[in-house]
């Protein structure tokens, strides 16, 4: 019996050029929905998932936005308005750290994330020379409770990515088309 490829070995032979990107965005969505016990996000409304894929199309890291390892997520004061963003790390930061801890080469990789990167993450992505960032077309609408400070940060993030030469690509996760921003 032939062995089914793992997610990290997934091979794409579809004539649909966007199938691979939809697959990885679905994987990022899956990561965002994991239980907190499995490393998922404890954020009550903004659960973001990220998957980093190397230049050969293999998954090298996957994370959700969450507290850093060893930081107590059970303390209720850390979830109050204005505090959550100081305690919960972005999925993009965590996925990049995870890959680097494993000794993986991230330069030239592709990052799939359920929400466009904030200004800080965009800076890290550019600094590490990630080639492309893929997001769902409707990512901003999906996070209806996103505060204006984060929307502004995402706008700055777009500029940082563009100036760093990182392509930001929006994928219609329901159809076979995408747009470059």
């Amino acid at each position: 019996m032939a062995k089914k490829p793992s997610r990290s070995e997934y091979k794409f032979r579809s004539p649909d050029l966007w199938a691979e990107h939809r697959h990885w965005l679905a994987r990022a969505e899956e990561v965002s929905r994991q239980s907190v016990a499995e490393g998922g996000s404890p954020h009550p409304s903004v659960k973001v998932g990220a998957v980093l894929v190397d230049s050969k199309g293999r998954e090298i890291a996957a994370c959700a936005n969450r507290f850093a390892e060893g930081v107590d997520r059970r303390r209720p004061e850390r979830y109050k308005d204005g505090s959550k963003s100081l305690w919960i790390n972005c999925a993009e930061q965590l996925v990049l750290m995870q890959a680097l801890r494993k000794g993986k080469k991230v330069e030239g990789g592709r990052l799939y994330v359920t929400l466009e990167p904030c200004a800080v993450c965009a800076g890290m992505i550019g600094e590490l020379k990630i080639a492309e960032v893929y997001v769902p077309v409707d990512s901003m609408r999906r996070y209806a409770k996103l505060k204006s400070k984060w929307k502004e940060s995402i706008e700055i993030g777009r500029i940082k990515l563009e100036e760093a030469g990182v392509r930001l690509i929006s994928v219609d996760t329901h159809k076979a088309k995408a747009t470059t921003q």
Side-chain angles (χ1 to χ4, degrees):
M1 175 181 274
K3 179 186 147 202
K4 182 180 176 185
S6 71
R7 285 187 179 100
S8 64
E9 301 170 334
Y10 199 86
K11 299 289 183 198
F12 296 92
R13 293 182 173 83
S14 171
D16 175 0
L17 299 175
W18 296 103
E20 178 178 7
H21 305 303
R22 286 194 309 276
H23 165 79
W24 291 119
L25 283 170
R27 172 76 176 117
E29 183 67 35
E30 175 186 311
V31 169
S32 77
R33 290 189 193 139
Q34 288 177 329
S35 72
V36 174
E38 295 173 318
S41 176
H43 196 288
S45 60
V46 182
K47 297 178 182 294
V48 179
V51 176
L52 185 61
V53 176
D54 68 15
S55 59
K56 294 180 180 170
R58 296 176 298 215
E59 179 180 318
I60 55 176
C63 286
N65 59 326
R66 61 170 171 73
F67 287 85
E69 289 292 326
V71 176
D72 189 353
R73 65 176 164 75
R74 295 168 296 187
R75 297 183 64 176
E77 69 272 13
R78 295 180 178 175
Y79 292 89
K80 290 183 180 172
D81 278 345
S83 294
K84 289 184 295 260
S85 62
L86 299 173
W87 289 102
I88 296 176
N89 291 33
C90 294
E92 300 93 324
Q93 294 169 6
L94 293 166
V95 80
L96 292 168
M97 285 187 280
Q98 185 184 85
L100 293 170
R101 273 194 212 110
K102 291 178 182 178
K104 300 293 185 175
K105 181 179 184 262
V106 298
E107 185 174 337
R110 297 188 317 256
L111 181 62
Y112 294 86
V113 63
T114 60
L115 179 64
E116 292 178 46
C118 70
V120 172
C121 291
M124 290 176 64
I125 291 164
E127 193 72 32
L128 290 169
K129 300 188 183 326
I130 302 298
E132 299 168 330
V133 175
Y134 291 83
V135 296
V137 167
D138 60 351
S139 67
M140 290 293 278
R141 277 179 286 174
R142 292 177 55 224
Y143 293 95
K145 294 186 177 185
L146 199 62
K147 292 182 178 180
S148 61
K149 71 177 183 179
W150 288 111
K151 291 176 183 177
E152 183 178 338
S153 183
I154 287 169
E155 286 299 323
I156 293 168
R158 287 177 184 154
I159 295 166
K160 283 184 165 184
L161 292 174
E162 182 179 345
E163 290 181 4
V166 179
R167 291 181 59 208
L168 178 62
I169 301 166
S170 296
V171 177
D172 185 338
T173 55
H174 305 289
K175 297 179 184 175
K177 61 183 177 180
T179 60
T180 301
Q181 295 181 346

